[in-house]
Amino acid sequence: MQKTSAPGPAARPVRPARRAARLALVASAAVSVVALTGCSAITDAALAAVGSAPVQERHFDTAGEAPRPSNSDDVAWFLPEWVPSDARDIDVRLHTSQPGYEISFTSADGVDLTACEPVDGDLGGPALEPEVLPDDLPATGLVSCGDGRVTAQVGDRWLGWTTAEPVPGDDGSGTLRG
């Protein structure tokens, strides 16, 4: 004689909204666990995967494509005032929560340096490990154009970066120091 068992309760289908909530909870927990482990490479990868990497990079073909302070709702992504309107091949990289900014671009007109002030020394070099800047950054002949960054021309490119030490007179508003 063959044993038969009574059928159990029918499995309930998982609703899409409930499934999405569970996935969000699992993803959030995974990022939290990774962040608490102290492993920065894993943390950075996890943050990049969810779209909030602390160091971000953007490229703009022209200055017209890039946000300016007057038309940007994003407090991080806009070109400094001193970047000329004819700037091309613009690479920007920044840290979203601490000092660290670098920009590189070409310009036939160049940067108008009349409102800029000379800077003594290199102020500890770049605050952010450079990736869009050349390896051999100048340590002399630097200027600050009023936004807490230093600026220099190297070859055919104009460069700007946040320094490890604050630029004298920097109020911190443009470089996340304040």
Side-chain angles (χ1 to χ4, degrees), residues 83-101:
V83 174
S85 60
D86 78 331
R88 302 245 183 272
D89 189 23
I90 306 162
D91 290 308
V92 180
R93 188 168 164 263
L94 59 84
H95 198 292
T96 60
S97 63
Q98 64 189 32
Y101 180 94

Side-chain angles (χ1 to χ4, degrees), residues 112-138:
D112 180 2
L113 300 176
T114 55
C116 303
E117 297 289 327
V119 174
D120 280 334
D122 69 355
L123 301 173
L128 184 63
E129 185 67 35
E131 287 190 16
V132 303
L133 301 175
D135 291 335
D136 296 325
L137 288 173

Side-chain angles (χ1 to χ4, degrees), residues 46-136:
L47 289 171
V50 295
S52 59
V55 177
Q56 299 178 10
E57 185 173 336
R58 293 191 185 168
H59 175 83
F60 304 100
D61 290 330
T62 68
E65 294 174 5
R68 292 284 187 160
S70 61
N71 68 2
S72 178
D73 293 331
D74 189 329
V75 296
W77 287 107
F78 57 84
L79 293 184
E81 295 281 342
W82 50 265
V83 174
S85 60
D86 78 331
R88 302 245 183 272
D89 189 23
I90 306 162
D91 290 308
V92 180
R93 188 168 164 263
L94 59 84
H95 198 292
T96 60
S97 63
Q98 64 189 32
Y101 180 94
E102 57 183 327
I103 186 169
S104 172
F105 60 89
T106 61
S107 168
D109 293 341
V111 174
D112 180 2
L113 300 176
T114 55
C116 303
E117 297 289 327
V119 174
D120 280 334
D122 69 355
L123 301 173
L128 184 63
E129 185 67 35
E131 287 190 16
V132 303
L133 301 175
D135 291 335
D136 296 325

Side-chain angles (χ1 to χ4, degrees), residues 16-18 43-44 50-51 54 61 67 96 106 122 125 129-130 133 144 150 164 168 173 175 177:
R18 187 174 288 175
T43 302
D44 290 348
V50 295
D61 290 330
T96 60
T106 61
D122 69 355
E129 185 67 35
L133 301 175
S144 176
V150 295
S173 62
T175 60
R177 291 188 200 276

